[in-house]
């Protein structure tokens, strides 16, 4: 399907403030970026780099006063999420070097604490894709997805304790459970068509059967419409913006995802 995405952030800056933004999706196996627009108002010098996870990031210093970041993109993405029932588990010694970092505990995904729990959740499942599917199902049945229930990232341990969270929190727990089974898992942040309420979304991917597969415990079907902006170990790696100095929060944040034609 063809989608038109947009994201607008408006800030009031009191002192010149350094930002690192992550708002440019990149083309890959699951999506094609046909066109895009990136506006900074007022215009300031910006420098783009690729971080350790392959994300396109922009560095800038916002001047005092009103500051707006506005992005739009036309993107082709899949109508349905790929499924690989029975997909094989890849032994650690046979994993590509680039995915090994997604096996380790991270700030919000304390995978070293979940082996017993993950083993219980996935008992009688074939190693690999079916284990991750069981984790996704358990999350959907056990952890209440409640948009707006948390403003700051919660770790997997915290989410498992309170049994409620936003999309980011469910992803943290899913990632931790997968990693505890020696299945590489990473967080993805981006857009999802038909999300209600519409806002930026988070889900996770697991590496099985030789590639990454999408899992989203907040959704009951495998419908498509996902647009990835950033990948990382957890929420600490995929913030759409980081600012440094006195705290700054957007007074307006607007996200839209609509169907588009291919012309």
């Amino acid at each position: 399907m063809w989608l038109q995405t947009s994201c607008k952030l408006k800030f009031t800056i009191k002192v010149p403030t350094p930002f690192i933004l992550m708002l440019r999706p990149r083309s890959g196996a699951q999506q094609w970026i046909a066109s895009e627009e990136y506006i900074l108002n007022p215009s300031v010098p910006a420098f783009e780099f690729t971080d350790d996870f392959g994300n396109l990031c922009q560095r800038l210093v916002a001047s005092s006063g009103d500051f707006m970041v506005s992005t739009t993109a036309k993107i082709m993405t899949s109508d349905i999420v790929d499924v690989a029932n029975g997909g094989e588990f890849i032994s650690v010694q046979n994993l590509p070097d680039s995915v090994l970092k997604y096996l380790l505990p991270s700030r919000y995904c304390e995978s070293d604490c979940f082996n017993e729990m993950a083993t219980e959740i996935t008992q009688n499942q074939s190693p690999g894709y079916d284990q991750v599917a069981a984790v996704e199902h358990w999350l959907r049945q056990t952890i209440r997805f409640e948009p707006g229930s948390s403003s700051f990232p919660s770790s997997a341990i915290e989410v498992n304790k309170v049994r409620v969270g936003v999309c980011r929190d469910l992803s943290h727990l899913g990632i931790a459970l997968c990693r505890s089974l020696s299945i590489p898992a990473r967080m993805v942040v981006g857009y999802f068509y038909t999300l209600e309420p519409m806002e930026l979304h988070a889900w996770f991917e697991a590496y099985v059967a030789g590639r990454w597969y999408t899992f989203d415990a907040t959704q009951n079907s495998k419908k498509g419409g996902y647009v990835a902006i950033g990948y990382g170990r957890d929420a600490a790696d995929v913030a759409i913006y980081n600012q440094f100095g006195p705290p700054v929060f957007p007074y307006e944040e607007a996200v839209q995802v609509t169907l588009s034609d291919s012309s």
Side-chain angles (χ1 to χ4, degrees), residues 57-210:
C57 303
Q58 304 79 43
R59 296 179 61 180
L60 58 88
V61 177
S63 303
S64 300
D66 288 338
F67 180 65
M68 182 189 75
V69 181
S70 176
T71 67
T72 62
K74 186 174 181 178
I75 301 163
M76 182 176 67
T77 188
S78 177
D79 293 348
I80 58 173
V81 171
D82 290 346
V83 173
N85 295 327
E88 64 178 337
F89 170 84
I90 306 297
S91 300
V92 172
Q93 62 268 29
N94 296 322
L95 288 169
D97 295 342
S98 60
V99 308
L100 293 177
K101 58 180 170 286
Y102 298 112
L103 285 172
L104 303 176
S106 57
R107 177 178 177 182
Y108 294 111
C109 300
E110 310 98 330
S111 52
D112 49 334
C113 300
F114 284 96
N115 182 259
E116 183 176 346
M117 179 176 166
T119 300
E120 181 178 343
I121 291 171
T122 61
Q123 62 181 330
N124 302 322
Q125 300 295 329
S126 300
Y129 185 94
D130 293 353
Q131 288 179 305
V132 187
V135 166
E136 180 189 47
H137 177 75
W138 180 88
L139 288 168
R140 191 176 295 120
Q141 297 297 313
T142 310
I143 310 298
R144 188 171 81 253
F145 170 52
E146 188 174 307
S149 58
S150 67
S151 300
F152 299 97
S154 297
S155 74
I157 288 176
E158 293 169 328
V159 177
N160 187 49
K161 181 178 180 179
V162 300
R163 298 295 172 103
V164 63
V166 299
C167 54
R168 172 191 60 225
D169 304 327
L170 273 67
S171 295
H172 282 158
L173 182 51
I175 290 167
L177 289 165
C178 290
R179 290 179 188 168
S180 72
L181 297 168
S182 297
I183 297 175
R186 65 185 182 182
M187 173 166 277
V188 191
V189 66
Y191 306 107
F192 178 51
Y193 177 59
T194 72
L195 183 68
E196 291 291 343
M198 180 55 68
E199 57 186 355
L200 288 161
H201 190 49
W203 59 97
F204 72 97
E205 293 182 346
Y207 191 89
V208 292

Side-chain angles (χ1 to χ4, degrees), residues 3-7 25 71-75 191 227 255-258:
L3 297 175
Q4 186 78 29
T5 67
S6 68
C7 180
T71 67
T72 62
K74 186 174 181 178
I75 301 163
Y191 306 107
V227 175
V255 174
Q256 289 187 331
V257 182
T258 58

